[in-house]
Amino acid sequence: MSAVEEERHSPGWRRPSEVMKKRKKKKKVRDSVSDISMTRSKSTSSSPKRPGIVLKRRNPFGCGGAVSARRRIASDVGTKDSYDEKKEESEATDDAKFQAVQKTLSSLADDRKQEVINEDEGKSNHGNEAEFFASDSEPPPSIQSSSCPIDWCLHTRVRFTSQASFEWSNRISSSEESCGITNFVLCKYQDQTSTQDESSLSEESIFRQRLKQSAMVWASPSLPWFKIFPRIVPESKDAKTSFIVNEDVAQKALMAQWCDSFCSVYQLLRSEMCPYFYICAHHLTILFRAKHISGHGSIHALLGPTTRGFRESLKAEGITFTMPLLKDDAVKYQDPHQVIEEVTKPQTQDSSALCKETNSGEEDLKPDEEEGVVDSDDVSWLESIGLENVLEIDSHREQMQTDPTVKQDNRPQSVLFVEGFANVQALYNFILNYKNIVSTVGLQAGIPPTILAPMAFHGATLTSNKIKSGCMRQIIGHQIHDIHTLEVSGPILPHNVHLLTDLLSETQQGQFSLTFQAHEPTACFTSASHTLFTAPTDDVSPNLKLDSFPRDFARRLFTPKDILQKSCKDMKFVNTMYEWT
C-alpha cells in the first residue's frame, strides 16, 4: 500500500519524525514568548510577527509602551492646570467654612461670657471643680504604722521582694519542719518560747522553723483529689459533675463530718478559744469573729456576696442584719417621683398655675381610676380563667424593680453584718439546715463548704501553704539590680501575714515589700470592718486566751491601731515602719 493510501485510511496517524518536529516547534514558541514577556520596553507593534506565534495582549492600563515627548508634555501641562484649578476651588471652600465656624465659636463664647457674668455662683462652682480635679490628679497619701495592719480579706498568694537574699529559706530539713509544725500545733511562738531550747540551734535554723510555722492552716474537709480553696471560681459549661453526687453514702458521710467540724469550731469561737474562722461555699463566704474583735462587744459575722433571695431567707428565719457598704448607695438612690417634686418646688407661681392647668386638662382626658388599680370585675374574670396568681406576680415584679438592693446582688455592696449572740446562733442553725450551701452541679457538686481556721478543731486537717523562693532582675534608675523573691501561695489568713512579716523584718535587713493577691469575693470584709469599727471598751473579758497567738497580734485583734479602708495590694517595710496607700 502506498503512502497516499495510508494517509487516506488513517488520517490521525503520524510518523515519529513528524512528532519530533512538532515538539521542537512548540519549544521554540515557548522560548520566544518568554523573551517577549521579559522585554517590556519594546512595543508589541514594533516586534516582528512570526507565523504561528500568539502574542500576549497589551495591558491598556500599563505604561509599557513608549510615549512621545509632545504627548507627554501636553498631558503634563493639562494635569497641572486642572490641579491648580482644583486647588484654588478647595482653598476657597475651606476659607468659607473656616469663617463660618469662627463666627459660630465667637457667638458661643460671647453667650458663655454673658452667662458667667450674670451668674455669681458660677465662679465658686468652677473653683470647686478645679480643686476637685487637682485633688484627683494627686496620688493618695501613704499611711505609716509601726505594726502591720490586719486585712480580713483572704489571700491566695503573697509575694515578698527584697534586695537581701532568701537563701536561708531554700532548704528546710526534716527536723526543722517537725519543730515548726509542733510549735504551730502547740501554739508556741517566738515571744513565748524560752531561750534555752534555741541555744543549741543556729540563727538560720530558727528562721526556717518559724517560716514553716507561719505557713500552716487548719482546714476541713480533706479531699486529696479536690482543691478546697478558692471555692468561688468560674467553671466552664463543659465541666463534669463530681462523682460524689451519685454516691449517696459518701455524700452523707461528708456532710455529717462537716456538721461536726462546723459545730466544733463554732463552740471554740463562743468560748473565745478561736478568734475567727472562715466558711467558703461555692457562692458565699462567711467570716465569724469572736467577742471583742475589732471593738465589737459580742460575737458577729460578715457574709458576702449575697443575693436578694438569700437575704429574704434570712429575714424569714428572724435573723436581723445590716448592709454597711450600702449606705452611700442608698443615699444616692431616690424615687423618680420625689426627684420630680423637688425640681418643681422652686418654680414660680405662674409656672405652677400653668402646671395645674395642664394637669387639669390631662385629668379630663384620663379616666378617674388610678394606674395599677384593678377592678373587682377584672379579678373575677382572671379567677374564672384560672389566672388568679397574675396579680401576685405583678406585685412581686414591681417590688423587685423598686428595691434598690437588687442592683447590688453579688457585689461588694451586698455584704451583710450579723451581730449579737441570738442572731449569730440563728445564723448558725440556718447554715446547718441550708440546702443550697452545697452545690448540686459542676465540679463542686456534693462537696461541703471549706472551713479555714487558725486553731485546731474536730475533723480539721493541718495543711501547709507552698513556699517558693527565687530571684529576678529589675531596672532601678539606670542600673539593673537583682531582686530576691519569696512567694507563699494557698489559703492565707490574717495570722499568716502577721507571722511572715514579723519573721522577715528580722531576716531581710529591715527592708522588704509585699504584693498581695486577694480573693476578690472576700475583699468586702476589710471595707465593712473599717465602716463598722467601734472604739473598744475599757473592760476586757477575762476569758480571752492571748497565749494562742503572739502577744502583738492578739492586742491588734482586740485593739487595732490602724484599720484598712480597703483590701491592701502593696505594702512596704522600711526602717521598722510599714507603709501603704
Side-chain angles (χ1 to χ4, degrees):
M1 186 180 294
S2 63
V4 178
E5 292 178 356
E6 289 180 0
E7 291 178 0
R8 188 183 300 171
H9 291 284
S10 56
W13 186 83
R14 294 181 182 179
R15 296 181 180 274
S17 58
E18 293 179 358
V19 173
M20 296 302 296
K21 287 180 181 179
K22 192 174 183 179
R23 288 183 179 179
K24 290 179 181 180
K25 194 174 183 180
K26 286 183 180 180
K27 188 176 180 181
K28 289 180 181 180
V29 171
R30 292 173 185 173
D31 295 341
S32 62
V33 171
S34 62
D35 293 340
I36 293 170
S37 62
M38 291 295 292
T39 56
R40 294 182 179 179
S41 61
K42 294 183 180 181
S43 176
T44 54
S45 60
S46 61
S47 60
K49 298 182 180 181
R50 299 180 183 178
I53 297 177
V54 180
L55 298 178
K56 293 177 69 177
R57 290 183 61 188
R58 179 179 175 274
N59 186 5
F61 303 101
C63 57
V67 182
S68 63
R70 292 181 180 177
R71 189 177 298 175
R72 184 170 62 251
I73 293 170
S75 61
D76 292 342
V77 172
T79 53
K80 186 175 181 180
D81 295 338
S82 61
Y83 176 75
D84 294 337
E85 292 175 359
K86 291 180 180 179
K87 186 176 181 180
E88 291 176 358
E89 292 176 358
S90 62
E91 288 178 355
T93 54
D94 291 341
D95 292 339
K97 290 180 181 178
F98 178 75
Q99 291 176 1
V101 171
Q102 192 172 8
K103 289 180 181 179
T104 54
L105 290 176
S106 61
S107 62
L108 290 174
D110 295 337
D111 296 340
R112 182 58 182 168
K113 288 179 181 179
Q114 189 67 26
E115 290 177 1
V116 171
I117 292 171
N118 294 335
E119 296 178 1
D120 296 334
E121 297 178 355
K123 294 181 181 179
S124 60
N125 292 334
H126 286 299
N128 295 332
E129 289 178 2
E131 293 177 359
F132 176 75
F133 287 112
S135 62
D136 286 349
S137 61
E138 296 177 358
S142 60
I143 304 172
Q144 292 184 352
S145 176
S146 59
S147 58
C148 182
I150 297 178
D151 192 351
W152 292 105
C153 172
L154 287 172
H155 297 92
T156 58
R157 184 177 301 172
V158 178
R159 176 179 290 180
F160 299 88
T161 57
S162 175
Q163 294 184 358
S165 177
F166 287 101
E167 291 182 359
W168 56 269
S169 64
N170 289 338
R171 298 178 181 179
I172 301 177
S173 62
S174 57
S175 60
E176 295 168 352
E177 183 178 358
S178 60
C179 289
I181 293 174
T182 303
N183 291 335
F184 178 76
V185 173
L186 299 178
C187 299
K188 290 182 178 181
Y189 295 95
Q190 180 67 18
D191 55 357
Q192 301 170 0
T193 56
S194 61
T195 56
Q196 296 179 358
D197 300 337
E198 300 177 353
S199 59
S200 60
L201 300 175
S202 62
E203 188 177 13
E204 290 187 357
S205 179
I206 297 173
F207 291 158
R208 285 190 286 269
Q209 291 180 15
R210 293 173 61 185
L211 179 62
K212 187 64 180 179
Q213 182 181 3
S214 61
M216 306 300 294
V217 176
W218 293 99
S220 175
S222 177
L223 303 174
W225 69 89
F226 180 74
K227 188 177 181 180
I228 61 174
F229 180 82
R231 298 296 295 269
I232 303 179
V233 292
E235 292 185 0
S236 61
K237 297 181 180 179
D238 299 334
K240 297 181 179 179
T241 305
S242 177
F243 68 92
I244 297 179
V245 178
N246 300 325
E247 299 290 338
D248 295 338
V249 177
Q251 192 172 357
K252 291 180 180 179
L254 283 175
M255 284 303 301
Q257 185 181 6
W258 183 82
C259 292
D260 294 341
S261 300
F262 183 34
C263 180
S264 174
V265 71
Y266 180 72
Q267 295 302 326
L268 288 174
L269 186 82
R270 286 183 55 187
S271 60
E272 301 177 7
M273 296 292 293
C274 179
Y276 61 89
F277 68 91
Y278 293 82
I279 293 180
C280 305
H282 67 284
H283 68 288
L284 178 71
T285 305
I286 308 174
L287 168 61
F288 286 88
R289 295 193 297 198
K291 186 167 59 174
H292 298 291
I293 299 293
S294 297
H296 296 281
S298 60
I299 59 176
H300 51 281
L302 291 168
L303 302 84
T306 60
T307 59
R308 184 179 182 276
F310 182 79
R311 294 191 292 269
E312 293 295 332
S313 300
L314 293 179
K315 290 179 182 178
E317 295 294 330
I319 302 172
T320 59
F321 57 86
T322 58
M323 302 179 71
L325 300 184
L326 195 63
K327 292 181 180 179
D328 296 335
D329 296 333
V331 171
K332 294 178 183 178
Y333 176 80
Q334 293 181 350
D335 193 356
H337 299 289
Q338 295 178 0
V339 175
I340 294 172
E341 291 177 1
E342 293 178 358
V343 172
T344 55
K345 280 181 181 178
Q347 292 181 348
T348 59
Q349 295 180 356
D350 296 335
S351 61
S352 62
L354 180 62
C355 292
K356 288 181 180 179
E357 290 178 1
T358 55
N359 292 332
S360 62
E362 291 178 357
E363 289 177 359
D364 296 337
L365 295 175
K366 290 183 179 180
D368 294 332
E369 56 185 8
E370 298 178 354
E371 275 187 29
V373 178
V374 183
D375 294 338
S376 59
D377 297 337
D378 297 337
V379 175
S380 60
W381 180 76
L382 289 173
E383 291 179 354
S384 63
I385 62 175
L387 298 176
E388 61 274 5
N389 296 327
V390 172
L391 298 178
E392 297 179 0
I393 295 172
D394 291 340
S395 62
H396 180 70
R397 185 181 300 172
E398 291 179 0
Q399 186 178 3
M400 289 282 291
Q401 293 176 354
T402 57
D403 190 0
T405 61
V406 175
K407 298 179 181 179
Q408 309 301 335
D409 287 354
N410 294 319
R411 292 185 178 182
Q413 290 79 6
S414 64
V415 62
L416 307 181
F417 177 68
V418 180
E419 187 178 14
F421 176 76
N423 290 324
V424 176
Q425 184 67 31
L427 178 64
Y428 165 75
N429 296 328
F430 173 77
I431 294 173
L432 284 177
N433 300 318
Y434 187 47
K435 295 182 180 180
N436 292 334
I437 199 71
V438 180
S439 177
T440 56
V441 294
L443 297 175
Q444 304 184 28
I447 298 175
T450 302
I451 302 177
L452 301 173
M455 304 295 296
F457 56 93
H458 178 73
T461 304
L462 186 63
T463 59
S464 176
N465 295 326
K466 295 181 180 180
I467 303 172
K468 181 182 178 182
S469 61
C471 182
M472 64 179 181
R473 291 186 176 182
Q474 186 176 2
I475 299 175
I476 301 176
H478 298 284
Q479 296 180 355
I480 299 176
H481 296 270
D482 291 335
I483 304 298
H484 302 274
T485 62
L486 180 68
E487 189 174 290
V488 182
S489 59
I492 300 172
L493 275 64
H495 75 277
N496 297 120
V497 177
H498 170 77
L499 294 175
L500 288 170
T501 53
D502 190 19
L503 170 61
L504 297 183
S505 62
E506 301 178 15
T507 61
Q508 301 309 115
Q509 301 176 1
Q511 186 175 1
F512 62 88
S513 61
L514 300 82
T515 303
F516 298 96
Q517 184 175 350
H519 184 44
E520 290 300 330
T522 61
C524 55
F525 294 160
T526 303
S527 303
S529 300
H530 176 267
T531 306
L532 298 167
F533 174 72
T534 56
T537 56
D538 295 335
D539 55 338
V540 180
S541 176
N543 296 327
L544 294 177
K545 304 298 186 294
L546 298 178
D547 296 337
S548 301
F549 288 98
R551 295 184 180 91
D552 185 22
F553 181 67
R555 292 191 191 97
R556 284 191 284 121
L557 281 174
F558 303 116
T559 57
K561 295 181 181 179
D562 300 294
I563 306 296
L564 292 175
Q565 296 183 2
K566 60 181 181 179
S567 181
C568 185
K569 295 183 178 180
D570 298 305
M571 188 182 298
K572 293 181 180 180
F573 178 77
V574 181
N575 297 328
T576 68
M577 296 295 291
Y578 291 91
E579 182 179 351
W580 67 93
T581 55

